[in-house]
Amino acid sequence: MTTESHYELIAIGGGSGGLAVAQRAAEYGARAAVIEPARLGGTCVNAGCVPKKVLWHAAHLVEGARAASGYGIELPPARVDWGEMRRRRDAYISRLNGIYARNLERRGVTYIDGYAVFEDPRTLRVGERLYTADHIVVATGGRPKLPLIPGARLGLNSDDFFALDARPERVAVVGSGYIAVELAGLLNAFGSRVEQLLRQDTVLRDFDVLVQTALMREMGASGVAFLTTTVPASLERGADGIVLNAEDGRRLGPYDAVFWAIGREPATTGLQLERAGLATDASGFLRTDAYQRTPVAGIHAIGDVTGRAALTPVAIAAGRRLADRLFGGLPARRLDYECVPTVVFSHPPVGTVGLTEAQARARHDTVEVKRTAFVPMYYALTERRQRCEMKLVLAGDKRRVVGCHIVGDGADEMLQGFAVAVRMRATLEDFQDTVAIHPTNAEEMVTMR
Ligand code: NAP
């Protein structure tokens, strides 16, 4: 065993968080390294945001082809070559992997290809080599959860979805969160028969109630069948596909594919955290303080492994701020986890920032709500009339906008700007004083009365 090198900072994990912290540290002149056994870019690039968004765009082309006749444009029905689509998507991701490697090189960050385990609080072992660091940042991300029921392995997860060579025809998507509604929406748009199984009675239970009801209505209208209060008890392979037995005795299916989208768990097993004096919480997360510090001096954690907002830009922001604090002479720098905007790439998309109405009512004495629902102009000529809904949650006498919730086309692009306004503590008056852009869906945000 040899001690290879000493670094000022080593990031364990070459995903969004690890790359961000190491690169920012290197920009300050710190000697930094990233240890990653798989392809650079982590979940986001390889099995998350990026391939999902490519498919989301592809699904929009298919939906656009369906809508065209409403405009007097006759197109043949879209024929999707799933294999070709996958090849093109994967080629794009490989290009990104290369760009990430070159970015590390350009900034002088060492890329160590391998699996890191702790030897002690300052030392990591990768294969037969030892690396020491002043600061170690655990940024190992997470992986899809599997339920502990018989036959669970007959089901697939989101990683498997991206590796599919062909589109399954009869599909069950189990779950109610981001991944479940995104997967169900994609497969439905491409023509699969999709049943989405919810343990409770709604999707996205942490979101504002407007988001839940509007999204379920629009997904339902476009063909997704929701099976509410359905708890899977087992999966079995039948003569004609996979059968899902529910706890209440129903036999559902047969399906060509069952997808588990029931949450993700932190990737902390195998790191030998105990040798560093670190412990995870009961769910396996590495808990950190407001400065991303673990209880062990010199060891920090960022991103999905910490159990806070599992979003790429959050991991990046936390990583960069950590490097600013450690090497940039900015001792107070840290990520404020309040008011993080988020988008669900469902069909239609959801954009949300700030408090839900229920959260606002629990926190503020005076709460008012403005809402609107309309059919966007795009659908004025089409057979399908997909609606858009918006809600502003206002607090206090000044009617400050503390929450902004959108379901409908354009929500994904619209939200970023409104998130700035909410963060700057804009009031309803500020919104209403802003001249509308016409004709857009976004103008409804500034014309609510
Ligand atoms: P999630 O958003 O946490 O949702 C999983 C949901 O599945 C739970 O909230 C729960 O909802 C349900 N569930 C849990 N156990 C279940 C079980 N045994 N059977 C049936 N349902 C069960 O998890 P996710 O969709 O896997 O996504 C993980 C995280 O990745 C997200 O929270 C998000 O932070 C991130 N992500 C972000 C994006 C994006 O930014 N667009 C996209 C994908 C993922 P109920 O309690 O209501 O049943």
Side-chain angles (χ1 to χ4, degrees), residues 61-108:
L61 292 172
V62 173
E63 287 170 338
R66 278 187 206 127
S69 65
Y71 284 82
I73 302 167
E74 290 311 323
L75 295 175
R79 196 187 60 78
V80 179
D81 182 339
W82 189 275
E84 185 59 21
M85 191 163 69
R86 184 183 159 189
R87 269 189 294 284
R88 287 169 187 248
R89 189 194 72 207
D90 290 351
Y92 170 51
I93 291 172
S94 295
R95 290 205 298 278
L96 291 180
N97 296 142
I99 290 169
Y100 279 66
R102 284 195 293 283
N103 282 347
L104 286 182
E105 210 177 298
R106 227 184 31 235
R107 290 184 174 89

Side-chain angles (χ1 to χ4, degrees), residues 419-439:
V420 176
V422 173
R423 193 171 167 74
M424 292 179 73
R425 306 174 71 83
T427 61
L428 180 65
E429 201 182 342
D430 294 320
F431 273 55
Q432 290 174 337
D433 268 355
T434 304
V435 175
I437 303 167
H438 184 72

Side-chain angles (χ1 to χ4, degrees), residues 52 174 176-179 182 199 205 261-264 310-311 343:
K52 178 270 307 289
V174 183
S176 62
Y178 282 77
I179 295 178
E182 290 184 348
R199 274 195 308 192
R205 279 197 306 128
I262 58 169
R264 293 173 61 82
L311 302 167
V343 162

Side-chain angles (χ1 to χ4, degrees), residues 49 52 145 147 174-180 182 197-200 202 204-206 230-232 260-264 304 309-311 342-345:
C49 327
K52 178 270 307 289
K145 254 193 227 167
V174 183
S176 62
Y178 282 77
I179 295 178
E182 290 184 348
L197 278 53
L198 313 177
R199 274 195 308 192
Q200 318 251 358
T202 179
L204 301 177
R205 279 197 306 128
D206 294 339
T230 302
V231 181
W260 301 119
I262 58 169
R264 293 173 61 82
D304 295 6
L311 302 167
T342 184
V343 162
V344 186
F345 290 95

Side-chain angles (χ1 to χ4, degrees), residues 234-436:
S234 67
L235 290 189
E236 63 186 56
R237 193 177 291 287
D240 188 30
I242 302 169
V243 172
L244 186 150
N245 298 300
E247 272 187 0
D248 59 10
R250 277 176 295 158
R251 281 173 67 78
L252 304 171
Y255 303 109
D256 300 312
V258 174
F259 291 98
W260 301 119
I262 58 169
R264 293 173 61 82
E265 58 195 12
T268 43
T269 45
L271 285 171
Q272 309 272 24
L273 293 172
E274 62 288 350
R275 292 192 193 165
L278 280 170
T280 60
D281 71 7
S283 307
F285 292 108
L286 260 182
R287 296 293 172 185
T288 54
D289 68 7
Y291 293 90
Q292 310 297 145
R293 290 181 292 217
T294 70
V296 177
I299 305 184
H300 320 263
I302 54 174
D304 295 6
V305 78
T306 64
R308 285 156 151 186
L311 302 167
T312 290
V314 168
I316 293 172
R320 287 185 180 155
R321 283 159 177 75
L322 176 59
D324 289 345
R325 185 169 68 74
L326 296 177
F327 304 105
L330 299 164
R333 195 91 162 115
R334 65 182 184 86
L335 178 62
D336 174 7
Y337 284 83
E338 286 280 309
C339 227
V340 170
T342 184
V343 162
V344 186
F345 290 95
S346 42
H347 295 249
V350 168
T352 189
V353 62
L355 303 179
T356 64
E357 184 179 342
Q359 288 168 336
R361 291 197 186 283
R363 279 197 209 180
H364 298 277
D365 293 335
T366 319
V367 172
E368 207 184 314
V369 158
K370 297 283 172 197
R371 54 186 295 171
T372 180
F374 58 96
V375 175
M377 190 203 270
Y378 177 84
Y379 298 105
L381 279 70
T382 61
E383 196 180 316
R384 191 165 142 245
R385 292 270 195 275
Q386 186 180 272
R387 290 167 76 78
C388 184
E389 290 200 29
M390 297 169 171
K391 181 191 271 189
L392 292 178
V393 182
L394 314 170
D397 296 339
K398 292 205 168 118
R399 301 206 282 184
R400 184 161 72 81
V401 180
V402 294
C404 171
H405 310 281
I406 313 167
V407 181
D409 287 356
D412 50 318
E413 293 293 342
M414 221 184 280
L415 186 72
Q416 191 75 73
F418 287 113
V420 176
V422 173
R423 193 171 167 74
M424 292 179 73
R425 306 174 71 83
T427 61
L428 180 65
E429 201 182 342
D430 294 320
F431 273 55
Q432 290 174 337
D433 268 355
T434 304
V435 175

Side-chain angles (χ1 to χ4, degrees), residues 47-278:
C49 327
V50 172
K52 178 270 307 289
K53 188 79 191 278
V54 169
L55 293 181
W56 191 76
H57 284 308
H60 273 262
L61 292 172
V62 173
E63 287 170 338
R66 278 187 206 127
S69 65
Y71 284 82
I73 302 167
E74 290 311 323
L75 295 175
R79 196 187 60 78
V80 179
D81 182 339
W82 189 275
E84 185 59 21
M85 191 163 69
R86 184 183 159 189
R87 269 189 294 284
R88 287 169 187 248
R89 189 194 72 207
D90 290 351
Y92 170 51
I93 291 172
S94 295
R95 290 205 298 278
L96 291 180
N97 296 142
I99 290 169
Y100 279 66
R102 284 195 293 283
N103 282 347
L104 286 182
E105 210 177 298
R106 227 184 31 235
R107 290 184 174 89
V109 176
T110 305
Y111 168 27
I112 301 163
D113 183 358
Y115 194 89
V117 293
F118 277 97
E119 285 291 312
D120 62 47
R122 288 282 173 278
T123 313
L124 295 165
R125 180 166 54 78
V126 180
E128 289 302 302
R129 294 180 173 176
L130 295 177
Y131 299 88
T132 55
D134 302 331
H135 297 280
I136 294 176
V137 184
V138 184
T140 46
R143 57 172 81 89
K145 254 193 227 167
L146 205 64
L148 297 169
I149 59 170
R153 288 192 183 280
L154 290 173
L156 305 174
N157 60 34
S158 52
D159 293 354
D160 302 320
F161 169 73
F162 293 119
L164 285 176
D165 285 325
R167 177 177 59 80
E169 197 58 44
R170 302 163 303 172
V171 173
V173 177
V174 183
S176 62
Y178 282 77
I179 295 178
V181 294
E182 290 184 348
L183 257 182
L186 282 175
L187 284 161
N188 180 58
F190 285 124
S192 297
R193 220 170 62 217
V194 180
E195 291 181 349
Q196 187 170 343
L197 278 53
L198 313 177
R199 274 195 308 192
Q200 318 251 358
D201 55 1
T202 179
V203 295
L204 301 177
R205 279 197 306 128
D206 294 339
F207 286 63
D208 191 90
V209 69
L210 171 140
V211 169
Q212 300 171 17
T213 50
L215 183 62
M216 276 184 81
R217 187 193 60 236
E218 294 306 330
M219 286 180 72
S222 67
V224 174
F226 287 104
L227 306 187
T228 56
T229 52
T230 302
V231 181
S234 67
L235 290 189
E236 63 186 56
R237 193 177 291 287
D240 188 30
I242 302 169
V243 172
L244 186 150
N245 298 300
E247 272 187 0
D248 59 10
R250 277 176 295 158
R251 281 173 67 78
L252 304 171
Y255 303 109
D256 300 312
V258 174
F259 291 98
W260 301 119
I262 58 169
R264 293 173 61 82
E265 58 195 12
T268 43
T269 45
L271 285 171
Q272 309 272 24
L273 293 172
E274 62 288 350
R275 292 192 193 165
L278 280 170

